[in-house]
Amino acid sequence: MVYMRGIVKTYNEGKDTELTVLHGIDFDTKHGEFVSIVGPSGCGKSTLMNMIGMLDKPTHGGYAFNGEDVFIKNDNELASYRSQNIGFIFQNFNLVGRINALQNVAMPMMYAGVGKQEREERATELLEMVGMGDRLKHAPNELSGGQKQRVAIARSLANDPDLLLADEPTGALDSSTGRMVMDLFHQLNEEYGKAIVFITHNAELAQETQRIVEMKDGRVVDVHAGGGR
C-alpha cells in the first residue's frame, strides 16, 4: 500500500539554518498491516507521518500509494486523494469545539460531497461502533479524553480509508483509557481490515503491533516483528 524510497526532508535548504530531519528513509506498509514507528522525541517520527499522510512533501525521494505516484498530483488532487484514502488520529484529538460529536464525524463526508442524511446516518453508525452512540449530541468539552479520542477515531473512518495514521493517540490518556483505545485499534485492524501506522513512545503498545520500525536521528535503525496480540 505504502511504498517510500529515499525520503529526505530538509528545511531551509541552502540557508545557514538548513536542517535535515529525515535522511533517506525507506518505508513500506501492506494492506491490513498494523505497524508501529518508535523512537525518541525529535527522531523524525511525526515528520515521517506527515509524509505518509501526504500533508507534506519530501525534499527528495519517491512515494507510491496503492501503486500511484503521490507527489505528481497537484495540491487539490492530493487533498482529495488523501481524504479518500487516509484517516488521521492525533494525540490532542483535533475535534472542532463548536460542533457536537455527530457533526465532527460527519465533517469529512461533507467535504467529500456526501449528502446530509447519508453522512449523518454513517456518522451515527461509526460513533455506535466505537461505543459513543449515547454521546452523539455532546460537544467536545462535555467529553472525557478517552471519549474525545473515540470520536476522533470514528471521524478518521468517515470516508472508509484503507489506512489509519495514529500519531501518539494514547499519549494524552491515562493507562486504562489508553488500553481501551488500543483495543479499539486492534478491533479496526482485525475485524475491519484497516491498515494502521501507529506512532508511539510506548514500547509495550508498540510490541502489540505486527511490525516495529525504530527511528533515531532521522533514520530507520531497525525493523523487527512485534509480538502481536
Side-chain angles (χ1 to χ4, degrees), residues 94-101 103-104 107 138-142:
N94 283 18
L95 299 177
V96 179
R98 66 181 182 275
I99 59 177
N100 64 31
Q103 293 165 324
N104 265 282
M107 184 177 289
H138 286 61
N141 65 4
E142 299 173 311

Side-chain angles (χ1 to χ4, degrees), residues 101-119:
L102 182 73
Q103 293 165 324
N104 265 282
V105 176
M107 184 177 289
M109 292 180 273
M110 180 180 70
Y111 290 125
V114 177
K116 186 174 189 291
Q117 181 176 346
E118 182 181 348
R119 66 180 184 253

Side-chain angles (χ1 to χ4, degrees), residues 25-228:
I25 297 282
D26 295 343
F27 181 82
D28 304 319
T29 306
K30 298 176 183 176
H31 283 273
E33 185 177 28
F34 194 169
V35 56
S36 53
I37 301 175
V38 300
S41 295
C43 72
K45 300 188 302 294
S46 293
T47 303
L48 178 58
M49 194 197 86
N50 287 340
M51 299 294 163
I52 299 168
M54 308 172 199
L55 297 169
D56 198 1
K57 295 183 178 182
T59 310
H60 305 288
Y63 177 14
F65 188 95
N66 284 336
E68 286 191 50
D69 189 338
V70 168
F71 293 120
I72 63 170
K73 301 178 186 295
N74 65 37
D75 287 348
N76 287 338
E77 291 170 336
L78 201 56
S80 175
Y81 190 73
R82 180 173 60 237
S83 70
Q84 293 165 16
N85 289 284
I86 299 177
F88 297 88
I89 304 103
F90 300 97
Q91 178 176 342
N92 61 354
F93 321 124
N94 283 18
L95 299 177
V96 179
R98 66 181 182 275
I99 59 177
N100 64 31
L102 182 73
Q103 293 165 324
N104 265 282
V105 176
M107 184 177 289
M109 292 180 273
M110 180 180 70
Y111 290 125
V114 177
K116 186 174 189 291
Q117 181 176 346
E118 182 181 348
R119 66 180 184 253
E120 289 188 352
E121 287 175 357
R122 176 160 171 77
T124 300
E125 289 174 6
L126 289 170
L127 284 164
E128 289 172 348
M129 189 178 87
V130 301
M132 291 293 291
D134 59 345
R135 297 286 191 275
L136 303 180
K137 302 298 184 181
H138 286 61
N141 65 4
E142 299 173 311
L143 301 174
S144 69
Q147 290 171 334
K148 289 177 186 176
Q149 196 59 292
R150 282 189 280 167
V151 172
I153 292 169
R155 181 187 57 191
S156 77
L157 297 166
N159 290 328
D160 196 22
D162 288 334
L163 175 64
L164 300 179
L165 294 182
D167 191 0
E168 296 282 1
T170 63
L173 306 175
D174 63 66
S175 58
S176 62
T177 307
R179 175 71 266 161
M180 180 179 61
V181 168
M182 191 66 180
D183 289 343
L184 181 54
F185 281 117
H186 282 295
Q187 179 186 359
L188 292 171
N189 175 248
E190 294 163 8
E191 297 181 23
Y192 298 92
K194 298 297 181 185
I196 301 170
V197 175
F198 181 79
I199 293 176
T200 183
H201 281 98
N202 189 317
E204 290 182 16
L205 293 182
Q207 190 60 37
E208 295 181 21
T209 66
Q210 296 160 359
R211 190 161 54 94
I212 301 171
V213 177
E214 293 189 24
M215 291 184 66
K216 184 179 180 181
D217 298 331
R219 293 177 169 86
V220 172
V221 294
D222 191 28
V223 181
H224 56 272

